[in-house]
Amino acid sequence: MVIESPLLAFLIVAFAVAGSMLVGAKLLRVRAKHSSPLKPTTYECGESPAGPAWVRFHARYYVVALFFVVFDIEAAFLFPWALVVREAGTAGLVAVFSFVAVLMVGWLWAVKKGALRWQ
Amino acid sequence: MNAFLEALLIATVIITVLMTVTAWALWFERKFAARMQSRLGPTMVGKSGLLQPVADLLKLLQKEDILTTHADGLLFNLAPVLAAGAAIGAAAVVPFAPNIVGANLDLGVLFLLAIGAVTVLPVFAAGWGSNNKFALLGGMRAIAQSISYEVPLLLAALVPVILAGSMNLGEIVEYQSKHGWFFAWPFFLGIPAFVLFLLAMLAEANRIPFDIPEAESELVAGVTTEYTGMKFALFYMAEYVHTLVASAVAAALFLGGWDGPFAPGLHWMVAKTLALFVGVYWVRWTLLRFRSDQLMRIAWYFLVPTGVALVAGTAVWVVWRS
């Protein structure tokens, strides 16, 4: 068997449980006797909806998303090092710290510029 | 094939226990919240309302399944299954006792962080698929919050990984049973990292004070606005399972997992997990909700630099001690 098989088994059961709950609900649900054209309308506080929700929308955290990518990649580099901190010793510390220091300078600059503030 | 069947069996047992605990956690939270507010909570179904979760489940099973005319049916139906499946799947690598673990992965911590980050996708899919403005706003907020708190969560989880020199949760717990819990020693690294992990975990699971994606006083019900019956229940369940699993992970990473005197390991693990779980409830029914911009400011101005400093401090400590 491949090494991942216990994980695969767990995920299969997890999604089967979630899926079977939906199927069970489909079998047991009560069907409405009368349908109304108003019932399946989108909820908007009782008014008829003013247009679809799929419109251009200002995502106010564009810079935050960029920063997330930067720090996520930082973490991707840190994880392998985290396992061998003892073996890597002082040389490893110096290398990783200079890398993180460069990132943190970028972070400081963004804070100074107010780039991370809600716009 | 036998090993696979055995794994399926273990997974079924763990998930069954997890779901049962989740069902009664709902009852417990309602009772707990009621007592905090001088109310009685559920009393009618069974003794002190103990059968309330069963009644709720039966009620939700029968509800009519409504798909709004303008919704994206595929995303709308797929999202709750993905949300619940990913939340339950995260439990795979949690060691409940030395030999009770779904999948003993060497990259357990990484798997947890990955599947924790995946749970935001179904939430946004639900928000987008509903074609409802409240739901879309909730989904947008969920993504903003999740990517902001992902970074402190990663950094906080790095601290025990560096201290134990392993990403296998079982090995991390074993290291703690030999060298003392990370919460107790080195406490100047363990306690701040534990607090940071808890804060980020609350935010990832969308619990108060970080529940801005479904803030009911402004967004109706956030992403779950258009959901009825079992699909709504799946989202609700996913949130509770996520919190429960995250409590178990925090217990394993910082509080020594199954390690403890006088009682079998499983008892200690369950006790620690439930204690953290109750703590999460306590926070929920005590604190107010942060505003969206405050939430982002806390993460990027305070938690991220704290996390970086903690990781650096831990590395220096480990190198200095060896």
Side-chain angles (χ1 to χ4, degrees):
Chain A
M1 254 3 261
V2 278
I3 304 162
E4 284 85 9
S5 66
L7 181 65
L8 187 67
F10 203 96
L11 290 180
I12 288 174
V13 177
F15 280 96
V17 165
S20 65
M21 282 172 82
L22 264 198
V23 175
K26 263 231 143 54
L27 297 176
L28 288 175
R29 75 185 159 168
V30 176
R31 263 160 257 258
K33 286 195 188 81
H34 311 286
S35 71
S36 140
L38 286 177
K39 199 188 246 176
T41 48
T42 309
Y43 175 75
E44 226 169 278
C45 308
E47 297 286 325
S48 0
W54 295 334
V55 290
R56 277 179 182 248
F57 188 79
H58 185 179
R60 297 194 173 260
Y61 44 85
Y62 164 69
V63 182
V64 170
L66 278 181
F67 255 78
F68 166 71
V69 172
V70 170
F71 274 91
D72 224 29
I73 292 172
E74 178 210 4
F77 283 127
L78 286 186
F79 264 98
W81 163 75
L83 292 178
V84 291
V85 172
R86 277 185 192 81
E87 290 82 358
T90 322
L93 275 190
V94 171
V96 169
F97 278 17
S98 44
F99 165 59
V100 173
V102 171
L103 272 183
M104 289 317 278
V105 169
W107 173 82
L108 257 180
W109 183 80
V111 169
K112 273 258 151 70
K113 278 280 195 182
L116 295 173
R117 223 178 289 143
W118 193 261
Q119 291 145 23
Chain B
M1 204 58 212
N2 253 338
F4 194 69
L5 283 180
E6 198 184 320
L8 276 181
L9 195 68
I10 294 174
T12 314
V13 171
I14 292 179
I15 290 174
T16 312
V17 173
L18 193 70
M19 305 285 282
T20 318
V21 172
T22 309
W24 268 276
L26 291 170
W27 168 84
F28 177 79
E29 171 165 27
R30 288 173 70 174
K31 272 292 193 200
F32 189 69
R35 295 295 176 186
M36 283 180 80
Q37 299 169 343
S38 304
R39 293 184 286 115
L40 285 178
T43 53
M44 298 305 277
V45 195
K47 192 169 160 52
S48 25
L50 260 174
L51 293 178
Q52 190 67 44
V54 182
D56 283 346
L57 186 74
L58 286 176
K59 181 191 79 180
L60 284 167
L61 266 176
Q62 299 171 16
K63 289 287 174 191
E64 195 188 345
D65 184 19
I66 297 176
L67 177 67
T68 57
T69 30
H70 299 290
D72 181 331
L74 182 67
L75 278 183
F76 188 83
N77 288 327
L78 213 56
V81 179
L82 280 180
I88 302 170
V93 291
V94 178
F96 293 98
N99 46 9
I100 305 179
V101 54
N104 196 10
L105 284 195
D106 279 342
L107 291 175
V109 175
L110 204 59
F111 169 76
L112 272 171
L113 294 169
I115 205 162
V118 162
T119 48
V120 71
L121 290 178
V123 172
F124 186 70
W128 182 261
S130 299
N131 199 357
N132 178 312
K133 288 165 191 98
F134 296 116
L136 182 64
L137 278 173
M140 288 284 208
R141 287 176 174 191
I143 286 203
Q145 177 173 325
S146 185
I147 61 172
S148 296
Y149 281 84
E150 189 68 20
V151 177
L153 192 72
L154 284 166
L155 294 170
L158 264 176
V159 170
V161 169
I162 293 177
L163 285 172
S166 167
M167 273 197 242
N168 184 323
L169 278 166
E171 279 171 23
I172 292 177
V173 172
E174 254 161 43
Y175 184 91
Q176 291 182 72
S177 68
K178 278 195 205 100
H179 298 83
W181 305 354
F182 293 147
F183 189 73
W185 182 256
F187 62 85
F188 45 88
L189 298 167
I191 293 179
F194 176 69
V195 173
L196 189 64
F197 188 87
L198 274 187
L199 281 178
M201 168 199 119
L202 281 175
E204 286 275 300
N206 296 337
R207 302 293 299 190
I208 288 177
F210 303 109
D211 75 328
I212 200 76
E214 54 170 285
E216 69 270 15
S217 47
E218 36 189 294
L219 288 185
V220 190
V223 290
T224 53
T225 304
E226 295 290 358
Y227 281 91
T228 55
M230 214 57 212
K231 287 180 200 156
F232 173 76
L234 279 175
F235 269 115
Y236 206 66
M237 203 189 69
E239 191 188 315
Y240 277 81
V241 172
H242 195 147
T243 317
L244 191 62
V245 171
S247 306
V249 172
L253 283 181
F254 296 99
L255 302 182
W258 69 69
D259 178 49
F262 312 126
L266 185 60
H267 293 195
W268 277 100
M269 185 63 185
V270 170
K272 286 170 189 170
T273 304
L274 290 184
L276 281 178
F277 201 41
V278 173
V280 171
Y281 287 150
W282 203 328
V283 169
R284 169 171 182 178
W285 292 95
T286 309
L287 292 183
L288 301 170
R289 177 184 299 134
F290 287 119
R291 229 169 44 212
S292 230
D293 59 326
Q294 295 171 329
L295 214 103
M296 310 283 270
R297 207 168 57 219
I298 296 169
W300 288 103
Y301 282 30
F302 179 65
L303 295 184
V304 169
T306 312
V308 171
L310 271 176
V311 169
T314 314
V316 170
W317 165 259
V318 165
V319 169
W320 178 60
R321 295 276 294 185
S322 65

